């Protein structure tokens, strides 16, 4: 096993969680779900070379990786917190994710900057005396330095970037690009028919309309990009407990 290390998370593997809502905007946190941990373990050490076990009624999870040189399992353990919705499932998932942090999976998320989205870029409403944000946010781009620290970050509300971090990404975009630049700019990859069908299937499962969902982010089936479709799918699965 030697110098086992896991690659840094891609933008489509990172999700945004609303941490705080105020009248003038919202703060966000970056996080990963258990599926990302499972995929990275499979990718890095192989699906037959890792295992997990739980103790204390799912409060503790131990993730073990097989060391072929030492011919033994190497284990790391951590404790999770209960979910507000599905306590048993949420506790098991959280303890697993925390144990994976011990292995270094997604540890770079701890280096994220403070993320604030102004009210003009999100929909904030008051319901039953509490402020709530009606937007879903997606990581559209992320970069790391040689130490694995996040040095650039873009977050979208579905149809435009609402947060930028990093010297290059914070540079203001020109209102109108020269004709030469427009011609050289590569075309965006649009959502595939398969992606559209998966989104429709998941939304219809919960009695929702794809057309209405796309209207919220100012998109149609024809203008939805492949990246946006992937981010929507991740957000929907998380929102309806399928992550």
């Amino acid at each position: 096993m030697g110098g086992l290390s896991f690659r840094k998370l891609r933008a489509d593997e990172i999700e945004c969680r609303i941490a705080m809502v105020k009248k003038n905007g919202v703060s966000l946190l970056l996080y990963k779900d258990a599926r990302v941990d499972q995929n990275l373990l499979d990718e890095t050490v192989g699906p037959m070379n890792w295992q997990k076990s739980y103790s204390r009624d799912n409060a503790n999870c131990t993730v073990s990786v097989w060391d072929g040189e030492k011919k033994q399992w190497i284990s790391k353990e951590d404790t999770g917190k209960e979910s507000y919705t599905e306590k048993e499932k949420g506790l098991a998932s959280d303890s697993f994710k925390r144990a994976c942090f011990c292995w270094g999976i997604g540890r770079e998320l701890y280096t994220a900057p403070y993320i604030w989205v102004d009210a003009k870029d999100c929909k904030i409403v008051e319901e039953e005396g509490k402020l709530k944000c009606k937007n879903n946010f997606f990581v559209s781009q992320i970069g790391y330095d040689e130490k694995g620290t996040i040095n650039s970050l873009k977050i979208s509300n579905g149809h435009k970037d609402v947060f930028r971090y990093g010297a290059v990404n914070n540079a203001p975009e020109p209102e109108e690009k020269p004709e030469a630049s427009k011609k050289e700019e590569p075309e965006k990859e649009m959502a595939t028919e398969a992606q559209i069908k998966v989104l429709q299937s998941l939304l219809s499962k919960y009695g929702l309309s794809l057309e209405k969902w796309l209207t919220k982010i100012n998109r149609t089936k024809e203008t939805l990009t492949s990246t946006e479709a992937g981010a929507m799918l991740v957000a929907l699965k998380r929102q309806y407990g399928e992550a």
Side-chain angles (χ1 to χ4, degrees):
M1 186 166 65
L4 175 64
S5 63
F6 295 86
R7 64 168 173 78
K8 301 295 181 289
L9 300 184
R10 302 188 307 265
D12 63 333
E13 294 172 317
I14 302 170
E15 298 183 42
C16 298
R17 174 179 294 160
I18 296 174
M20 177 176 59
V21 183
K22 292 188 174 182
K23 288 185 178 180
N24 62 335
V26 300
S27 63
L28 305 177
L29 296 175
L30 303 182
Y31 70 103
K32 59 183 173 73
D33 64 24
R35 184 178 288 107
V36 168
D37 290 314
Q38 294 166 354
N39 290 341
L40 269 176
L41 283 163
D42 286 350
E43 175 188 313
T44 307
V45 303
M48 304 300 290
N49 293 317
W50 70 273
Q51 60 184 11
K52 62 178 177 177
S53 60
Y54 294 96
S55 58
R56 295 200 311 115
D57 294 325
N58 294 334
N60 278 42
C61 179
T62 300
V63 174
S64 304
V65 174
W66 179 252
D67 187 331
E69 297 175 1
K70 296 179 179 178
K71 304 299 181 185
Q72 65 182 45
W73 291 98
I74 306 299
S75 303
K76 298 192 178 186
E77 179 181 5
D78 209 337
T79 302
K81 293 182 179 179
E82 288 184 346
S83 165
Y84 289 108
T85 52
E86 300 176 69
K87 289 189 176 182
E88 186 174 343
K89 179 183 176 182
L91 183 58
S93 177
D94 193 59
S95 60
F96 172 62
K97 288 184 288 186
R98 288 171 182 264
C100 289
F101 270 127
C102 292
W103 277 103
I105 301 178
R107 197 178 292 169
E108 61 273 15
L109 297 183
Y110 288 123
T111 70
Y114 180 69
I115 304 170
W116 178 260
V117 179
D118 288 332
K120 63 182 177 62
D121 293 320
C122 52
K123 184 179 180 181
I124 297 174
V125 299
E126 186 171 345
E127 295 180 353
E128 298 178 354
K130 292 184 178 180
L131 291 174
K132 295 182 180 181
C133 179
K134 293 296 186 177
N135 298 89
N136 287 313
F137 298 96
F138 315 105
V139 176
S140 57
Q141 183 179 327
I142 193 166
Y144 308 97
D145 63 19
E146 65 279 357
K147 295 181 180 179
T149 299
I150 296 173
N151 62 7
S152 64
L153 178 66
K154 278 187 180 183
I155 292 177
S156 168
N157 63 4
H159 63 275
K160 73 171 185 175
D161 291 327
V162 294
F163 177 83
R164 298 180 179 207
Y165 171 75
V168 176
N169 289 335
N170 275 332
E173 296 180 0
E175 292 184 5
E176 193 167 336
K177 299 180 181 178
E179 287 300 318
S181 298
K182 289 182 180 179
K183 291 177 182 179
E184 294 174 3
E185 186 179 89
E187 293 185 4
K188 292 182 179 179
E189 184 179 347
M190 307 313 293
T192 65
E193 186 177 343
Q195 285 179 307
I196 296 294
K197 285 183 178 179
V198 171
L199 284 171
Q200 283 180 319
S201 176
L202 184 59
L203 285 165
S204 63
K205 180 179 178 181
Y206 294 99
L208 301 173
S209 164
L210 176 61
E211 286 70 22
K212 288 184 179 180
W213 191 273
L214 290 174
T215 300
K216 289 181 180 180
I217 63 171
N218 196 29
R219 286 288 186 274
T220 65
K221 293 179 184 179
E222 292 72 29
T223 60
L224 184 69
T225 68
S226 179
T227 299
E228 289 169 338
M232 282 178 63
L233 186 58
V234 170
L236 283 168
K237 287 184 176 179
R238 185 69 184 179
Q239 182 175 344
Y240 292 104
E242 298 197 9

